[in-house]
């Protein structure tokens, strides 16, 4: 009659036998874990994400996919492009993107995915999960270089600085931005424009915003430590074509004495000299007006 194997204990004696049932359970758990890891790492993420993003006029592509231990996959040379005629072209690109299940969201019966991407000398982490009202997104940016991105541009000017921040976003069932909030900060923020003889140093910037029913509200925007100090608040009514989004923003400017000469051309086109009296930015992103 066979007996269960025994193992030596710490005192040199013989411990209790290892139960065959426990060994089988361990094998099953390991086997299922490896099988799940295989499925997750070989899942066609690029094509699946493209189908999900298609209603928003977005398309994603990558040149390769490999496993990411212990669960997940890594995509190489990822490109997010717009297919809308008004703004077709590249929006975001990353050399490496890691996608994995968001296990914490599974506990709430809303399984989602975690995305970590190397983005313009920085890192972005995004968690995406379905919710009762649409798709819930939370994000965290760390030191993303503004000068290298193509998603946001200033007509007639370029911006540089390291952007960081965090926030949430809720997309409705028709893939429109419905609600959200967040904070953003920028270190070493500078602007280059033909209206200034040299780059305009804005120093460090901080902003706080919220999104509700298609209206982006800038609750706070300030800069400090630069040639030009800016404070602003107001709203942006988002449109399907971003360039047609309506502006209703109030802002003030003040300049440092040392920068007055280099900003002379810029200040000359303003409706009144900088000071406590605010300016009003209206029109659209494509055709802004200052009064």
């Amino acid at each position: 009659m066979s007996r269960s194997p025994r193992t030596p204990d710490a005192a040199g004696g013989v411990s209790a036998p290892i139960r065959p049932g426990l060994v089988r359970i361990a094998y099953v758990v390991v086997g299922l874990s490896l099988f799940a890891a295989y499925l997750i790492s070989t899942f066609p993420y690029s094509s699946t994400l493209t189908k999900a993003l298609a209603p928003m006029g977005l398309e994603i592509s990558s040149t390769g996919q490999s496993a990411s231990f212990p669960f997940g996959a890594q995509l190489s040379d990822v490109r997010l492009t717009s297919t809308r005629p008004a703004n077709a072209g590249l929006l975001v690109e990353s050399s490496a993107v890691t996608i994995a299940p968001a296990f914490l969201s599974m506990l709430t019966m809303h399984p989602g995915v975690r995305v970590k991407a190397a983005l313009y000398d920085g890192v972005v982490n995004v968690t995406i999960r379905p919710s009762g009202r649409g798709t819930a997104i939370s994000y965290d940016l760390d030191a993303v270089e503004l000068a290298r991105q193509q998603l946001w541009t200033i007509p007639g000017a370029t911006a540089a600085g390291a952007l960081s921040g965090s926030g949430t976003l809720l997309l409705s069932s028709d893939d429109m931005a419905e609600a959200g909030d967040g904070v953003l900060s920028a270190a070493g923020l500078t602007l280059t424009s033909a209206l200034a003889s040299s780059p305009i140093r804005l120093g460090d910037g901080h902003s706080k915003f919220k999104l509700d029913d298609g209206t982006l509200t800038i609750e706070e925007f300030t800069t400090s430590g630069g040639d030009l100090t800016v404070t602003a608040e107001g709203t942006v009514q988002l449109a399907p074509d971003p360039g047609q989004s309506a502006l209703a923003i109030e802002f003030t400017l003040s300049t440092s004495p040392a920068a007055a000469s280099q900003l002379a051309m810029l200040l000359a086109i303003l409706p009144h000299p900088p000071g406590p009296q605010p300016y009003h930015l209206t029109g659209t992103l494509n055709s802004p007006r200052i009064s």
Side-chain angles (χ1 to χ4, degrees):
M1 183 176 180
S2 62
R3 295 184 179 181
S4 299
R6 295 174 179 265
T7 57
D9 59 18
V14 178
S15 65
I18 301 175
R19 298 180 181 177
L22 294 178
V23 175
R24 295 192 188 97
I25 292 174
Y27 284 147
V28 170
V29 170
V30 172
L32 289 176
S33 298
L34 293 175
F35 180 65
Y38 171 78
L39 291 179
I40 293 170
S41 63
T42 58
F43 187 79
Y45 288 101
S46 291
S47 59
T48 302
L49 288 173
T50 291
K51 291 178 182 178
L53 296 173
M56 302 171 62
L58 299 173
E59 183 178 68
I60 193 169
S61 63
S62 65
T63 60
Q65 178 175 314
S66 59
S68 177
F69 182 83
F71 295 102
Q74 180 168 295
L75 308 181
S76 305
D77 301 323
V78 178
R79 294 167 59 90
L80 179 67
T81 57
S82 172
T83 58
R84 297 184 185 278
N87 59 337
L90 178 66
L91 297 177
V92 177
E93 60 181 339
S94 172
S95 59
V97 174
T98 301
I99 301 178
F103 293 109
L104 185 60
S105 68
M106 291 181 180
L107 299 178
T108 63
M109 304 306 292
H110 293 292
V113 295
R114 291 183 295 105
V115 180
K116 181 178 181 180
L119 189 66
Y120 306 125
D121 298 332
V123 177
V124 58
N125 289 278
V126 181
T127 299
I128 305 172
R129 63 177 179 82
S131 73
R133 297 168 57 190
T135 302
I137 301 173
S138 60
Y139 60 88
D140 183 85
L141 307 176
D142 184 20
V144 175
E145 179 52 56
L146 285 172
R148 297 188 56 198
Q149 59 84 35
Q150 295 93 11
L151 185 61
W152 176 69
T153 59
I154 305 174
T158 59
L163 185 68
S164 301
S166 60
T168 62
L169 180 64
L170 177 67
L171 299 182
S172 64
S173 56
D174 55 359
D175 296 309
M176 294 295 293
E178 184 174 297
D181 57 61
V183 294
L184 290 173
S185 62
L189 185 61
T190 62
L191 295 177
T192 302
S193 170
L195 299 176
S197 58
S198 60
I200 305 170
R201 296 186 306 108
L202 296 178
D204 296 332
H206 175 77
S207 66
K208 181 181 179 181
F209 61 89
K210 67 178 181 180
L211 177 66
D212 184 32
D213 197 24
T215 299
L216 176 67
T217 299
I218 302 171
E219 298 180 319
E220 176 188 355
F221 178 84
T222 60
T223 68
S224 60
D227 302 325
L228 191 64
T229 300
V230 184
T231 65
E233 60 181 22
T235 63
V236 180
Q237 187 65 47
L238 302 178
D241 178 358
Q244 297 303 313
S245 298
L247 306 172
I249 298 173
E250 187 175 274
F251 67 96
T252 61
L253 300 176
S254 62
T255 61
S256 65
S261 59
Q262 79 177 75
L263 299 176
M265 185 181 300
L266 173 63
L267 300 179
I269 66 173
L270 295 175
H272 61 78
Q277 183 180 357
Y279 299 96
H280 298 277
L281 179 62
T282 57
T284 65
L285 286 176
N286 283 343
S287 301
R289 298 189 298 270
I290 298 178
S291 60

